[in-house]
Amino acid sequence: MVPFLLGGNMRYQRHSRHRRYVRHERHGSDATPKAKIKTVGKVQYSADGESGWQDTIPEGLMKVSTPLTFYIRAKEVDPEDDGSYIYKFKIAPGTGDALSLQNTGVNKAKISGTAPEGMLSKTFSVNCTVEDSYGTEVTGTALTQAWSAAPAA
């Protein structure tokens, strides 16, 4: 009976060694580590989402009762995005009523709509939080602009 038990143990040990080897290959030093987010810069504005990125919204653009459309992005992320980051844009509650925010690509979102008169005494604010593949989240600096009155008709 002893040789049978030894043989069984040997097969188990060979199998265990093989599993360790496979595990080493999957999670070993050959795997490329993903970037871990450290900082996120200021949120930027663009009229068309392709060019003319600015750190501020132009004066007079944020008018209540006037349709508007523009794009936003995070100016910079450190370290540079390796394709594993998730960008989460958010309009601060109560600062952009009736505006919609739609992600249009990696690190880009479109804001559109018409703000009601009740926004006149408030300041619009939108920000971006970036999450890496480890679940670490870092929030950038918000893009803000005070609402102004629409021109008299």
Side-chain angles (χ1 to χ4, degrees):
M1 280 179 64
V2 173
F4 175 75
L5 289 176
L6 289 175
N9 287 339
M10 286 175 47
R11 277 194 296 269
Y12 176 77
Q13 289 172 353
R14 254 186 266 135
H15 180 67
S16 295
R17 252 192 319 268
H18 174 70
R19 289 193 61 168
R20 277 194 298 265
Y21 176 75
V22 171
R23 222 177 283 132
H24 173 71
E25 285 297 313
R26 268 187 32 206
H27 301 291
S29 60
D30 294 340
T32 304
K34 298 289 185 186
K36 188 162 186 170
I37 190 75
K38 294 177 186 169
T39 59
V40 177
K42 183 167 181 55
V43 175
Q44 290 187 308
Y45 158 91
S46 172
D48 63 6
E50 299 299 322
S51 61
W53 291 99
Q54 305 172 34
D55 289 341
T56 59
I57 298 173
E59 281 296 322
L61 179 75
M62 304 300 285
K63 296 189 181 301
V64 296
S65 303
T66 304
L68 61 95
T69 299
F70 62 92
Y71 295 82
I72 56 172
R73 73 173 184 185
K75 181 177 184 177
E76 58 196 32
V77 292
D78 180 38
E80 189 173 321
D81 187 356
D82 62 0
S84 66
Y85 294 166
I86 299 170
Y87 295 82
K88 302 174 185 178
F89 294 94
K90 184 177 180 183
I91 297 172
T95 69
D97 294 355
L99 296 182
S100 67
L101 186 144
Q102 176 186 10
N103 286 321
T104 58
V106 174
N107 191 17
K108 193 186 313 181
K110 177 181 177 180
I111 295 178
S112 60
T114 303
E117 292 287 332
M119 294 286 100
L120 196 52
S121 63
K122 298 182 179 179
T123 299
F124 171 78
S125 178
V126 62
N127 211 339
C128 179
T129 299
V130 179
E131 180 181 349
D132 63 24
S133 59
Y134 300 100
T136 304
E137 291 185 341
V138 177
T139 301
T141 304
L143 178 66
T144 62
Q145 180 67 270
W147 287 101
S148 59

